[in-house]
Amino acid sequence: MSTFAKPENALKRAEELINVGQKQDALQALHDLITSKRYRAWQKPLEKIMFKYIELCVDMRKGRYAKDGLIQYRIVCQQVNVNSLEEVIKHFMHLSTERAEVARTEAQALEEALDVEDLEADKRPEDLMLSYVSGEKGKDRSDRELVTPWFKFLWETYRTVLEILRNNSKLENLYAMTAHRAFQFCKQYKRTTEFRRLCEIIRNHLSNLNKYKDQRDRTDLTAPESLQLYLDTRFEQLKIATELELWQEAFRSVEDIHGLMCMVKKTPKPSLMVVYYAKLTEIFWTSGSHLYHAYAWLKLFLLQKNFNKNLSQKDLQTIASSVVLAALSVLPYDHTRGASHLELENEKERNMRMSNLINFNLDPKPESREVLSRSALLSQLVSKGVMSCVLPEVKDLYHLLEHEFLPLDLSLKVQPLLNKISKLGGKLASASSVPEVQLSKYVLALEKLATLRLLQQASQVYQTMTIESLSQMIPFFDFSVVEKISVDAVKHKFLTMKVDHMNGAVSFSILDLESDTVRNHLTALAESLNKARSMIYPPLNKASKIEDTLPGLAELVEKEHKKLLARKTIIEQRKEEQERQLLEKEREEESKRLQLQKSNVEAEQKRLASELEKRKIQRIQKEIEEREIEEAKALLQEKFSKNKKKPLIEGDKLTKQALMELALNEQLREKQEMEKKLLKLSKQMDYLERAKREEAAPLIESAYQQRLVEEQLLHEHEQQLEVELSRQRHDGDLQEKKRVARVMENKRIFQESLMSHRQSEFERLRKEREEHFHQIRLARKQERLAKRKMIFYLRSEEERLNKLREEEEARKLEESERRRKEESERQAKLDEMAEKQRQREQELEEKEKLRRHQILAGEAARSSETPLARPQAEAIPAAAAATAAAASAAPAPTKYVPRHLREKPAGSAPAPATDRWRSSDRRGPAGGASRPTW
């Protein structure tokens, strides 16, 4: 582990290692610096080091190193400069995202480059073998080699950042932003598995936040800003889950949102609640819970109606129609009837969870329990005014399916309405949270409901019916589908029906003549006949009744209109009051939180001050006790010396407590004497005050009577003056009215003349303005024409210049190609000449080696003959050496010889042996020439 005196030195060392290609060593050096305990105080160079460290981690895809470094850096700058940590994390995510996008772009470019140009050419054997062995296409291989590693690293980046910021109250915005970017990553690349893991990670973070509440930098969910960030994150999670069609994860996200709202006991903004119920409608419809789907639509309709002031009438009708159709899509019988105990318990738990999600409280008491049922839902639609906002087709369908009794004509009347409803719906302009409503998805459920109603009504009228006639009465489905629907209805005790395929008949339950169903049917028939008779033969006094009703009708309409206006005003006031109360509640909660925090700080300060005070008291207590004894002795001696009395307490037993008791007894005695004196004096003052008041009472009464008489006279005088002034003002007003009434006709004539003059002036100005606009349009048209011509000219000139530039570039390219060929030919010739020179030098060396060998062999032979001939033999190699030196000094035709050797005479003496740059040093052991270096 390397140590550095300053952090800047580590950064310089890392840059040097990067320049020579040793990125791993540079990363390790920076990692050692960051994790060292020596640099735990934040300073500005550490931020630059972290930026370089993050860049190296991203280049080398070292996610574990990046996580360790960020954790250590968080410890360093958490309490000093948390903004630096935020900048580093943002840089980390930016680099990871950028590299992933670059890898994806390269993969796409590679895929385009690998496309076969010749469509008739066969595949190469290598490609066929690779495709059969790997089992993947070219795009899959490029993705696996280029894109997948960077996507894995980007996903690891998101997880690392979320883990680092999970319980940091100072970086809540960055945590929320990272979660949103991770959601968008999963949405863009359809990563469903990673999305589930991401949701689980965020869910665990929230549970740990609630579990460990003693952390120092823990996020406070009671703060409005923190709560809003968490809710926005959960709502974004819900949106992405529905877009990816992960319905189980979407349901868990809805439960997370509901749990968060219950945790802080605060309802979010209406705009968020609209998104909440809109997503619930999709989830419940996909899961087949049509009843809860309808309740969610009802909540959504009420929110849009009460809080969306921009909602148009058309969009309101569409949403209300969706509510009614969703309610009608619920089956008219209970699925839990006849179920087992275990199924009932599971259904009960499921209903509790779903009812809590739609904010519908179920009371556990049986006598006061609210029931989530189809009949209760339809009654709420009527009571809350939903039926007054629906489309006419939907209202007619509702009355046909719920209130009419038409066993033969029900399908014929329902089918055209369903055809119209299937074409309704579309995008909503004023409901941003519900962008689109399609009513066609309810058609199948409504057809099933119409089939059940027809079977139910037919069972009340007929006892037996042929299968063919029943199939003609139900044009929606084949009889096999109708049979499945009827089997499910019979299973849940909604119908009593039996199908006989051998005889081709359908038998319903046997009904007695006096049964309730038949009696009700006959009653309905009688009422219908009575209505028909009244339409054919209207009563004679009908006109008189209408005349009696019409005078009061206008007054009744006026009253109802006033009531509606008053109700609208009250609703607006209630909305404003509710918003004001919510704002006040938020302010109170914030003030309480601040007050609690302040009180905790003050309590801590008081505790420290009290401990300090207690230590001071303990230190001073001993001094006080010592002085108390001395003071007690001095006071007691002084007291008894004045009174000349014998002390009651001995000097040895004298204490502060005894002295205090003596002083208190003395004060008590003096106090009692003073009280007696004051009591006596108060009695004297009471007697004196009573005597004074008895004397002053008659004088006060006479003055009061005199004041009454004077005020009565003053009142009568002022009353008379006021009457006289009122009479005078009235006479003056009458005279002024008569005087002004004479000029009213002149005023009317002047007003008409003035209005006619202004009207003519307005017409003149309007014509001038239209003429001016016409001139402007003509000028702009000419300007556009000139501009188009100029653009055409510029484009043609640019194309001509581009063409000339391309020809020039082609000419230059051809010239450079010609020069390159000439250079290559010249280089080939030079290489050939160098090769010949090398071969010639090699031959010379071989000859020199052969000559040296021969000389050495002759010298050995002569030395073996006689010692007297040795001096003579030694002269021979010397002469041979001189001859070789002369030969070597002679310039060769292919070897460079220095000038001082070329001009040297043949008989000159050789250079001294001390010069190491002479040619003799380069000789061999036999005195031959050295090996040339050229």
Side-chain angles (χ1 to χ4, degrees), residues 21 96 248 267 269 406 497 528 530 665 739 807 927 931:
S96 301
Q248 292 183 355
T267 305
K269 296 178 181 179
L406 301 169
M497 177 180 171
S528 300
N530 193 13
N665 292 332
R739 187 178 66 81
E807 292 176 355
R931 183 175 181 179

Side-chain angles (χ1 to χ4, degrees), residues 898-916:
R899 185 175 179 180
H900 67 280
L901 294 180
R902 291 200 303 268
E903 296 177 355
K904 186 176 181 181
S908 61
T914 58
D915 191 357
R916 62 188 181 92

Side-chain angles (χ1 to χ4, degrees), residues 761-771:
E761 184 69 18
F762 172 75
E763 292 294 334
R764 183 181 63 79
L765 292 174
R766 184 176 62 80
K767 291 180 180 179
E768 290 178 357
R769 184 168 176 269
E770 290 179 355
E771 182 65 24

Side-chain angles (χ1 to χ4, degrees), residues 770-807:
E770 290 179 355
E771 182 65 24
H772 177 64
F773 284 169
H774 181 66
Q775 294 296 333
I776 291 174
R777 283 195 293 270
L778 290 177
R780 289 181 178 177
K781 185 175 180 181
Q782 293 176 0
E783 183 180 355
R784 286 195 300 270
L785 183 60
K787 188 175 181 181
R788 288 180 186 140
K789 289 181 179 179
M790 180 60 69
I791 291 172
F792 175 74
Y793 172 73
L794 292 175
R795 286 180 179 174
S796 60
E797 186 67 19
E798 185 178 359
E799 291 177 358
R800 186 180 66 80
L801 293 176
N802 290 334
K803 186 174 180 181
L804 291 176
R805 192 181 300 108
E806 290 175 357
E807 292 176 355

Side-chain angles (χ1 to χ4, degrees), residues 184-432:
Q184 293 299 324
F185 168 78
C186 297
K187 173 187 173 183
Q188 182 179 0
Y189 302 109
K190 307 296 182 183
R191 307 303 304 175
T192 56
T193 306
E194 284 77 9
F195 180 77
R196 292 191 185 95
R197 292 174 183 168
L198 179 62
C199 295
E200 191 64 31
I201 289 169
I202 295 176
R203 197 172 292 118
N204 291 335
H205 288 174
L206 182 60
S207 62
N208 292 332
L209 188 66
N210 295 323
K211 185 177 180 182
Y212 305 105
K213 297 184 178 180
D214 55 347
Q215 296 177 355
R216 182 175 60 183
D217 300 322
R218 176 182 174 271
T219 303
D220 187 10
L221 291 179
T222 58
E225 296 82 4
S226 303
L227 176 62
Q228 188 64 34
L229 287 174
Y230 272 80
L231 284 176
D232 291 343
T233 304
R234 295 312 186 278
F235 276 105
E236 183 68 19
Q237 173 182 335
L238 177 60
K239 291 179 183 178
I240 301 301
T242 53
E243 291 177 3
L244 293 177
E245 296 184 356
L246 300 175
W247 301 110
Q248 292 183 355
E249 198 59 45
F251 185 76
R252 296 185 67 184
S253 302
V254 170
E255 287 186 331
D256 293 342
I257 294 172
H258 183 265
L260 198 59
M261 290 189 294
C262 295
M263 187 187 304
V264 298
K265 297 180 181 179
K266 184 177 180 182
T267 305
K269 296 178 181 179
S271 59
L272 293 180
M273 294 305 297
V274 167
V275 177
Y276 176 79
Y277 287 117
K279 298 303 179 183
L280 269 181
T281 56
E282 299 180 17
I283 294 170
F284 286 144
W285 180 259
T286 305
S287 64
S289 304
H290 294 177
L291 179 61
Y292 297 100
H293 169 76
Y295 270 102
W297 261 117
L298 178 59
K299 291 284 186 179
L300 181 60
F301 169 78
L302 295 177
L303 280 173
Q304 290 283 358
K305 184 179 179 183
N306 294 332
F307 294 99
N308 192 352
K309 298 181 180 179
N310 300 325
L311 192 65
S312 62
Q313 186 65 27
K314 182 179 179 182
D315 294 343
L316 184 63
Q317 287 183 349
T318 305
I319 296 175
S321 302
S322 299
V323 177
V324 175
L325 293 179
L328 291 177
S329 300
V330 182
L331 294 177
Y333 50 81
D334 189 7
H335 284 277
T336 60
R337 189 168 181 178
S340 62
H341 179 70
L342 181 60
E343 292 176 351
L344 290 175
E345 289 295 327
N346 294 334
E347 186 69 19
K348 181 180 178 181
E349 182 182 358
R350 179 172 175 269
N351 290 338
M352 288 291 292
R353 290 175 64 186
M354 292 189 176
S355 61
N356 289 331
L357 292 180
I358 59 175
N359 200 14
F360 193 95
N361 297 324
L362 291 176
D363 195 349
K365 296 180 180 179
E367 61 273 8
S368 62
R369 180 175 299 168
E370 298 179 76
V371 181
L372 286 172
S373 62
R374 186 175 186 273
S375 58
L377 177 60
L378 294 175
S379 63
Q380 287 188 24
L381 297 183
V382 177
S383 62
K384 293 183 178 179
V386 181
M387 296 302 301
S388 60
C389 302
V390 298
L391 296 169
E393 295 84 358
V394 178
K395 187 180 291 185
D396 296 341
L397 181 65
Y398 171 76
H399 285 292
L400 281 174
L401 293 177
E402 297 298 326
H403 300 292
E404 298 292 338
F405 188 84
L406 301 169
L408 296 177
D409 301 334
L410 183 62
S411 300
L412 299 177
K413 293 185 177 182
V414 167
Q415 191 170 12
L417 293 176
L418 292 179
N419 293 333
K420 292 181 180 179
I421 290 172
S422 62
K423 299 176 183 178
L424 297 176
K427 296 184 178 180
L428 303 183
S430 56
S432 58

